[in-house]
Amino acid sequence: MCHRWPPFVKLFAAITMILAATCVPITHGPLIGIVACAIFFAHTLARIPLAYVARRLFYFWPSLFLMAISLPLSQAGQTGWLLFVTILVRGTLSFSTALWLVNVMPFDQLLATLRRLRVPDVLLAILSLMYRFLFVLWDELDRMRTARSARMFRKPSLWTTWRSAAHLVGRLLIRALDRADRIHGAMLSRGWDGRSRWIEQSRKDRS
């Protein structure tokens, strides 16, 4: 059902759920529960597998936990732990809503909808390029991991794995910056003016 909704309705529903998750005080437990049930119901309507959501949350929670735990460690008293719970709950609900949106709304449709809402062209260009070249960076990382595994003759220790992963991320960052510089030069040579265009928009302009 959710996939057949108009794009504006999907985006409005996602923004509404995120605002509800971030604006309701954490001390109002029943209201937080209602928001969580609404998000879960939206996932059920979209037929998003629960295992898929749990797997994505499993990758998202470590970074969220590290960011949230820094507050009670830096602030003494009950306030720090209240902020810790607030960040965990709101971050989880907002991330679940974002998962629902990306599953019911294709990314190109999202960009076109944001453009109709007069979102700045710079932000749209950043989102479009980030989405397009994320898969390129993932393929580059996969090749680097394959090359690293081919040079290892035995199972590495945990410390070696962490050190190798840090070195791999550093090399990937350097390659990403070099690729971004080459891509930017190629786009400027082809007349890039900072504005993303779609086929539908170009056809309307010609007509």
Side-chain angles (χ1 to χ4, degrees):
M1 182 184 299
C2 301
H3 299 273
R4 296 193 297 267
W5 291 354
F8 286 101
V9 176
K10 298 176 186 178
L11 187 60
F12 178 77
I15 294 176
T16 302
M17 287 189 289
I18 291 177
L19 288 177
T22 55
C23 294
V24 175
I26 195 63
T27 54
H28 293 68
L31 292 180
I32 294 293
I34 292 175
V35 174
C37 290
I39 296 174
F40 179 78
F41 181 69
H43 279 265
T44 303
L45 284 180
R47 295 184 178 180
I48 301 175
L50 186 60
Y52 167 83
V53 179
R55 187 167 58 251
R56 294 296 185 270
L57 287 175
F58 177 78
Y59 293 129
F60 175 70
W61 269 332
S63 58
L64 181 65
F65 177 82
L66 291 177
M67 181 178 63
I69 198 63
S70 62
L71 293 177
L73 295 179
S74 60
Q75 298 180 8
Q78 193 71 19
T79 306
W81 290 106
L82 182 61
L83 292 175
F84 169 77
V85 176
T86 301
I87 291 177
L88 282 182
V89 173
R90 290 180 175 177
T92 301
L93 295 179
S94 300
F95 183 76
S96 301
T97 304
L99 281 179
W100 174 84
L101 181 62
V102 299
N103 277 274
V104 300
M105 191 173 189
F107 197 78
D108 54 347
Q109 188 182 80
L110 175 61
L111 292 178
T113 305
L114 292 177
R115 184 179 182 128
R116 296 190 189 98
L117 294 176
R118 305 298 181 182
V119 175
D121 291 331
V122 175
L123 182 59
L124 293 178
I126 292 175
L127 291 175
S128 177
L129 292 174
M130 180 188 67
Y131 178 76
R132 179 175 299 177
F133 291 101
L134 184 64
F135 303 99
V136 178
L137 291 179
W138 185 261
D139 293 338
E140 186 72 21
L141 178 61
D142 189 58
R143 289 193 295 268
M144 294 172 63
R145 292 174 60 185
T146 303
R148 183 192 61 179
S149 301
R151 291 175 175 85
M152 292 183 178
F153 300 98
R154 59 182 179 179
K155 186 177 181 180
S157 61
L158 182 61
W159 168 250
T160 304
T161 303
W162 279 96
R163 186 177 60 181
S164 179
H167 178 73
L168 199 66
V169 171
R171 292 295 303 173
L172 180 64
L173 178 61
I174 295 175
R175 294 191 181 187
L177 292 176
D178 293 339
R179 185 185 292 267
D181 188 58
R182 295 195 303 269
I183 291 173
H184 183 254
M187 293 172 66
L188 291 179
S189 65
R190 289 168 173 81
W192 169 256
D193 58 354
R195 184 180 182 184
S196 300
R197 293 174 173 84
W198 287 268
I199 297 178
E200 293 80 7
Q201 184 66 27
S202 301
R203 289 175 179 174
K204 290 181 181 178
D205 294 340
R206 288 195 299 267
S207 61

mmCIF file of all heavy atoms in Angstrom, residues 174-202:
data_model
loop_
_atom_site.group_PDB
_atom_site.id
_atom_site.type_symbol
_atom_site.label_atom_id
_atom_site.label_comp_id
_atom_site.label_asym_id
_atom_site.label_seq_id
_atom_site.Cartn_x
_atom_site.Cartn_y
_atom_site.Cartn_z
ATOM 1 N N ILE A 174 42.015 8.268 0.633
ATOM 2 C CA ILE A 174 42.920 8.916 -0.318
ATOM 3 C C ILE A 174 42.454 8.677 -1.752
ATOM 4 O O ILE A 174 42.414 9.602 -2.581
ATOM 5 C CB ILE A 174 44.354 8.402 -0.107
ATOM 6 C CG1 ILE A 174 44.870 8.834 1.278
ATOM 7 C CG2 ILE A 174 45.280 8.931 -1.200
ATOM 8 C CD1 ILE A 174 46.216 8.268 1.616
ATOM 9 N N ARG A 175 42.078 7.442 -2.062
ATOM 10 C CA ARG A 175 41.595 7.151 -3.410
ATOM 11 C C ARG A 175 40.287 7.876 -3.710
ATOM 12 O O ARG A 175 40.064 8.315 -4.849
ATOM 13 C CB ARG A 175 41.401 5.644 -3.575
ATOM 14 C CG ARG A 175 42.702 4.844 -3.523
ATOM 15 C CD ARG A 175 42.471 3.409 -3.950
ATOM 16 N NE ARG A 175 43.690 2.618 -3.885
ATOM 17 C CZ ARG A 175 43.791 1.379 -4.318
ATOM 18 N NH1 ARG A 175 42.742 0.768 -4.841
ATOM 19 N NH2 ARG A 175 44.951 0.720 -4.232
ATOM 20 N N ALA A 176 39.423 8.004 -2.699
ATOM 21 C CA ALA A 176 38.157 8.708 -2.906
ATOM 22 C C ALA A 176 38.396 10.186 -3.197
ATOM 23 O O ALA A 176 37.731 10.782 -4.058
ATOM 24 C CB ALA A 176 37.257 8.541 -1.686
ATOM 25 N N LEU A 177 39.349 10.798 -2.491
ATOM 26 C CA LEU A 177 39.657 12.208 -2.741
ATOM 27 C C LEU A 177 40.250 12.402 -4.136
ATOM 28 O O LEU A 177 39.911 13.366 -4.836
ATOM 29 C CB LEU A 177 40.624 12.723 -1.666
ATOM 30 C CG LEU A 177 40.051 12.822 -0.250
ATOM 31 C CD1 LEU A 177 41.134 13.241 0.733
ATOM 32 C CD2 LEU A 177 38.886 13.805 -0.202
ATOM 33 N N ASP A 178 41.138 11.502 -4.547
ATOM 34 C CA ASP A 178 41.705 11.593 -5.903
ATOM 35 C C ASP A 178 40.630 11.421 -6.961
ATOM 36 O O ASP A 178 40.584 12.152 -7.956
ATOM 37 C CB ASP A 178 42.794 10.530 -6.085
ATOM 38 C CG ASP A 178 44.013 10.797 -5.214
ATOM 39 O OD1 ASP A 178 44.193 11.962 -4.802
ATOM 40 O OD2 ASP A 178 44.776 9.843 -4.947
ATOM 41 N N ARG A 179 39.738 10.455 -6.748
ATOM 42 C CA ARG A 179 38.665 10.237 -7.717
ATOM 43 C C ARG A 179 37.718 11.431 -7.753
ATOM 44 O O ARG A 179 37.251 11.831 -8.839
ATOM 45 C CB ARG A 179 37.897 8.954 -7.370
ATOM 46 C CG ARG A 179 36.838 8.582 -8.382
ATOM 47 C CD ARG A 179 36.053 7.381 -7.910
ATOM 48 N NE ARG A 179 36.876 6.181 -7.893
ATOM 49 C CZ ARG A 179 36.953 5.335 -8.908
ATOM 50 N NH1 ARG A 179 36.278 5.573 -10.025
ATOM 51 N NH2 ARG A 179 37.691 4.261 -8.822
ATOM 52 N N ALA A 180 37.420 12.004 -6.600
ATOM 53 C CA ALA A 180 36.532 13.175 -6.560
ATOM 54 C C ALA A 180 37.144 14.350 -7.311
ATOM 55 O O ALA A 180 36.434 15.094 -8.004
ATOM 56 C CB ALA A 180 36.250 13.554 -5.112
ATOM 57 N N ASP A 181 38.460 14.537 -7.180
ATOM 58 C CA ASP A 181 39.123 15.621 -7.904
ATOM 59 C C ASP A 181 39.053 15.401 -9.418
ATOM 60 O O ASP A 181 38.784 16.336 -10.183
ATOM 61 C CB ASP A 181 40.574 15.729 -7.439
ATOM 62 C CG ASP A 181 41.265 16.959 -8.011
ATOM 63 O OD1 ASP A 181 40.771 18.072 -7.767
ATOM 64 O OD2 ASP A 181 42.293 16.800 -8.690
ATOM 65 N N ARG A 182 39.266 14.162 -9.857
ATOM 66 C CA ARG A 182 39.189 13.868 -11.301
ATOM 67 C C ARG A 182 37.762 14.037 -11.821
ATOM 68 O O ARG A 182 37.544 14.574 -12.915
ATOM 69 C CB ARG A 182 39.688 12.452 -11.573
ATOM 70 C CG ARG A 182 41.163 12.236 -11.268
ATOM 71 C CD ARG A 182 41.651 10.940 -11.911
ATOM 72 N NE ARG A 182 40.883 9.795 -11.478
ATOM 73 C CZ ARG A 182 41.189 9.040 -10.426
ATOM 74 N NH1 ARG A 182 42.253 9.316 -9.688
ATOM 75 N NH2 ARG A 182 40.434 7.981 -10.114
ATOM 76 N N ILE A 183 36.789 13.578 -11.043
ATOM 77 C CA ILE A 183 35.396 13.686 -11.473
ATOM 78 C C ILE A 183 34.968 15.152 -11.538
ATOM 79 O O ILE A 183 34.265 15.577 -12.468
ATOM 80 C CB ILE A 183 34.490 12.890 -10.513
ATOM 81 C CG1 ILE A 183 34.735 11.388 -10.680
ATOM 82 C CG2 ILE A 183 33.025 13.197 -10.761
ATOM 83 C CD1 ILE A 183 34.023 10.543 -9.666
ATOM 84 N N HIS A 184 35.394 15.944 -10.558
ATOM 85 C CA HIS A 184 35.036 17.365 -10.561
ATOM 86 C C HIS A 184 35.623 18.076 -11.782
ATOM 87 O O HIS A 184 34.952 18.890 -12.428
ATOM 88 C CB HIS A 184 35.532 18.020 -9.270
ATOM 89 C CG HIS A 184 35.157 19.471 -9.155
ATOM 90 N ND1 HIS A 184 36.072 20.483 -9.319
ATOM 91 C CD2 HIS A 184 33.958 20.060 -8.913
ATOM 92 C CE1 HIS A 184 35.460 21.645 -9.176
ATOM 93 N NE2 HIS A 184 34.182 21.409 -8.927
ATOM 94 N N GLY A 185 36.866 17.770 -12.119
ATOM 95 C CA GLY A 185 37.464 18.368 -13.307
ATOM 96 C C GLY A 185 36.744 17.953 -14.582
ATOM 97 O O GLY A 185 36.522 18.774 -15.491
ATOM 98 N N ALA A 186 36.359 16.674 -14.671
ATOM 99 C CA ALA A 186 35.629 16.200 -15.847
ATOM 100 C C ALA A 186 34.250 16.847 -15.958
ATOM 101 O O ALA A 186 33.792 17.183 -17.062
ATOM 102 C CB ALA A 186 35.488 14.683 -15.789
ATOM 103 N N MET A 187 33.585 17.056 -14.819
ATOM 104 C CA MET A 187 32.269 17.689 -14.845
ATOM 105 C C MET A 187 32.369 19.152 -15.252
ATOM 106 O O MET A 187 31.526 19.654 -16.011
ATOM 107 C CB MET A 187 31.602 17.557 -13.476
ATOM 108 C CG MET A 187 31.232 16.129 -13.102
ATOM 109 S SD MET A 187 30.669 15.971 -11.406
ATOM 110 C CE MET A 187 29.161 16.920 -11.470
ATOM 111 N N LEU A 188 33.398 19.850 -14.772
ATOM 112 C CA LEU A 188 33.573 21.251 -15.167
ATOM 113 C C LEU A 188 33.880 21.375 -16.654
ATOM 114 O O LEU A 188 33.413 22.309 -17.314
ATOM 115 C CB LEU A 188 34.698 21.883 -14.333
ATOM 116 C CG LEU A 188 34.415 22.097 -12.849
ATOM 117 C CD1 LEU A 188 35.629 22.708 -12.167
ATOM 118 C CD2 LEU A 188 33.184 22.983 -12.645
ATOM 119 N N SER A 189 34.658 20.453 -17.189
ATOM 120 C CA SER A 189 34.977 20.504 -18.620
ATOM 121 C C SER A 189 33.760 20.223 -19.494
ATOM 122 O O SER A 189 33.761 20.565 -20.681
ATOM 123 C CB SER A 189 36.087 19.498 -18.944
ATOM 124 O OG SER A 189 35.639 18.163 -18.733
ATOM 125 N N ARG A 190 32.720 19.607 -18.917
ATOM 126 C CA ARG A 190 31.495 19.328 -19.669
ATOM 127 C C ARG A 190 30.388 20.337 -19.373
ATOM 128 O O ARG A 190 29.225 20.110 -19.713
ATOM 129 C CB ARG A 190 31.008 17.912 -19.353
ATOM 130 C CG ARG A 190 31.892 16.822 -19.955
ATOM 131 C CD ARG A 190 31.547 15.465 -19.379
ATOM 132 N NE ARG A 190 32.257 14.384 -20.045
ATOM 133 C CZ ARG A 190 33.501 14.035 -19.776
ATOM 134 N NH1 ARG A 190 34.190 14.706 -18.844
ATOM 135 N NH2 ARG A 190 34.090 13.037 -20.417
ATOM 136 N N GLY A 191 30.731 21.439 -18.719
ATOM 137 C CA GLY A 191 29.756 22.513 -18.516
ATOM 138 C C GLY A 191 28.907 22.380 -17.274
ATOM 139 O O GLY A 191 27.785 22.908 -17.233
ATOM 140 N N TRP A 192 29.398 21.689 -16.255
ATOM 141 C CA TRP A 192 28.627 21.545 -15.012
ATOM 142 C C TRP A 192 28.448 22.909 -14.345
ATOM 143 O O TRP A 192 29.419 23.649 -14.135
ATOM 144 C CB TRP A 192 29.348 20.581 -14.086
ATOM 145 C CG TRP A 192 28.822 20.542 -12.677
ATOM 146 C CD1 TRP A 192 29.388 21.095 -11.577
ATOM 147 C CD2 TRP A 192 27.622 19.901 -12.229
ATOM 148 N NE1 TRP A 192 28.621 20.855 -10.469
ATOM 149 C CE2 TRP A 192 27.530 20.124 -10.841
ATOM 150 C CE3 TRP A 192 26.630 19.175 -12.874
ATOM 151 C CZ2 TRP A 192 26.487 19.634 -10.084
ATOM 152 C CZ3 TRP A 192 25.581 18.686 -12.107
ATOM 153 C CH2 TRP A 192 25.519 18.911 -10.737
ATOM 154 N N ASP A 193 27.213 23.270 -14.022
ATOM 155 C CA ASP A 193 26.920 24.553 -13.396
ATOM 156 C C ASP A 193 26.374 24.411 -11.983
ATOM 157 O O ASP A 193 25.846 25.371 -11.429
ATOM 158 C CB ASP A 193 25.916 25.334 -14.252
ATOM 159 C CG ASP A 193 24.607 24.575 -14.460
ATOM 160 O OD1 ASP A 193 24.533 23.401 -14.028
ATOM 161 O OD2 ASP A 193 23.679 25.144 -15.051
ATOM 162 N N GLY A 194 26.471 23.199 -11.403
ATOM 163 C CA GLY A 194 26.018 22.997 -10.031
ATOM 164 C C GLY A 194 24.551 22.646 -9.899
ATOM 165 O O GLY A 194 24.035 22.585 -8.786
ATOM 166 N N ARG A 195 23.879 22.391 -10.995
ATOM 167 C CA ARG A 195 22.449 22.087 -10.950
ATOM 168 C C ARG A 195 22.197 20.726 -11.567
ATOM 169 O O ARG A 195 22.607 20.454 -12.700
ATOM 170 C CB ARG A 195 21.648 23.144 -11.705
ATOM 171 C CG ARG A 195 20.134 22.948 -11.607
ATOM 172 C CD ARG A 195 19.415 24.039 -12.370
ATOM 173 N NE ARG A 195 17.975 23.896 -12.244
ATOM 174 C CZ ARG A 195 17.075 24.661 -12.862
ATOM 175 N NH1 ARG A 195 17.504 25.631 -13.655
ATOM 176 N NH2 ARG A 195 15.791 24.458 -12.695
ATOM 177 N N SER A 196 21.526 19.851 -10.831
ATOM 178 C CA SER A 196 21.192 18.518 -11.335
ATOM 179 C C SER A 196 19.958 18.592 -12.212
ATOM 180 O O SER A 196 19.004 19.331 -11.913
ATOM 181 C CB SER A 196 20.945 17.547 -10.171
ATOM 182 O OG SER A 196 22.091 17.434 -9.356
ATOM 183 N N ARG A 197 19.987 17.840 -13.300
ATOM 184 C CA ARG A 197 18.858 17.813 -14.232
ATOM 185 C C ARG A 197 18.439 16.377 -14.473
ATOM 186 O O ARG A 197 19.266 15.475 -14.459
ATOM 187 C CB ARG A 197 19.226 18.490 -15.550
ATOM 188 C CG ARG A 197 19.452 20.000 -15.414
ATOM 189 C CD ARG A 197 19.948 20.602 -16.715
ATOM 190 N NE ARG A 197 20.011 22.042 -16.654
ATOM 191 C CZ ARG A 197 21.034 22.717 -16.144
ATOM 192 N NH1 ARG A 197 22.080 22.071 -15.657
ATOM 193 N NH2 ARG A 197 21.022 24.034 -16.118
ATOM 194 N N TRP A 198 17.148 16.172 -14.735
ATOM 195 C CA TRP A 198 16.610 14.859 -15.021
ATOM 196 C C TRP A 198 16.033 14.846 -16.427
ATOM 197 O O TRP A 198 15.745 15.899 -17.021
ATOM 198 C CB TRP A 198 15.526 14.484 -14.004
ATOM 199 C CG TRP A 198 16.079 14.144 -12.669
ATOM 200 C CD1 TRP A 198 16.441 12.911 -12.203
ATOM 201 C CD2 TRP A 198 16.360 15.060 -11.602
ATOM 202 N NE1 TRP A 198 16.927 12.996 -10.924
ATOM 203 C CE2 TRP A 198 16.895 14.291 -10.533
ATOM 204 C CE3 TRP A 198 16.231 16.430 -11.447
ATOM 205 C CZ2 TRP A 198 17.276 14.861 -9.330
ATOM 206 C CZ3 TRP A 198 16.618 17.001 -10.250
ATOM 207 C CH2 TRP A 198 17.135 16.207 -9.215
ATOM 208 N N ILE A 199 15.811 13.658 -16.955
ATOM 209 C CA ILE A 199 15.322 13.528 -18.322
ATOM 210 C C ILE A 199 13.946 14.162 -18.460
ATOM 211 O O ILE A 199 13.651 14.849 -19.425
ATOM 212 C CB ILE A 199 15.281 12.044 -18.735
ATOM 213 C CG1 ILE A 199 16.708 11.469 -18.718
ATOM 214 C CG2 ILE A 199 14.651 11.878 -20.103
ATOM 215 C CD1 ILE A 199 16.762 9.998 -19.053
ATOM 216 N N GLU A 200 13.092 13.941 -17.463
ATOM 217 C CA GLU A 200 11.748 14.502 -17.544
ATOM 218 C C GLU A 200 11.790 16.017 -17.597
ATOM 219 O O GLU A 200 11.055 16.655 -18.340
ATOM 220 C CB GLU A 200 10.912 14.040 -16.343
ATOM 221 C CG GLU A 200 10.612 12.557 -16.314
ATOM 222 C CD GLU A 200 11.788 11.760 -15.789
ATOM 223 O OE1 GLU A 200 12.757 12.396 -15.326
ATOM 224 O OE2 GLU A 200 11.739 10.516 -15.860
ATOM 225 N N GLN A 201 12.695 16.617 -16.799
ATOM 226 C CA GLN A 201 12.789 18.064 -16.775
ATOM 227 C C GLN A 201 13.326 18.607 -18.095
ATOM 228 O O GLN A 201 12.871 19.628 -18.607
ATOM 229 C CB GLN A 201 13.714 18.501 -15.627
ATOM 230 C CG GLN A 201 13.828 20.017 -15.437
ATOM 231 C CD GLN A 201 12.528 20.634 -14.987
ATOM 232 O OE1 GLN A 201 11.714 19.972 -14.345
ATOM 233 N NE2 GLN A 201 12.309 21.897 -15.329
ATOM 234 N N SER A 202 14.299 17.877 -18.679
ATOM 235 C CA SER A 202 14.853 18.311 -19.954
ATOM 236 C C SER A 202 13.800 18.243 -21.063
ATOM 237 O O SER A 202 13.736 19.106 -21.940
ATOM 238 C CB SER A 202 16.072 17.441 -20.308
ATOM 239 O OG SER A 202 17.049 17.548 -19.315
#
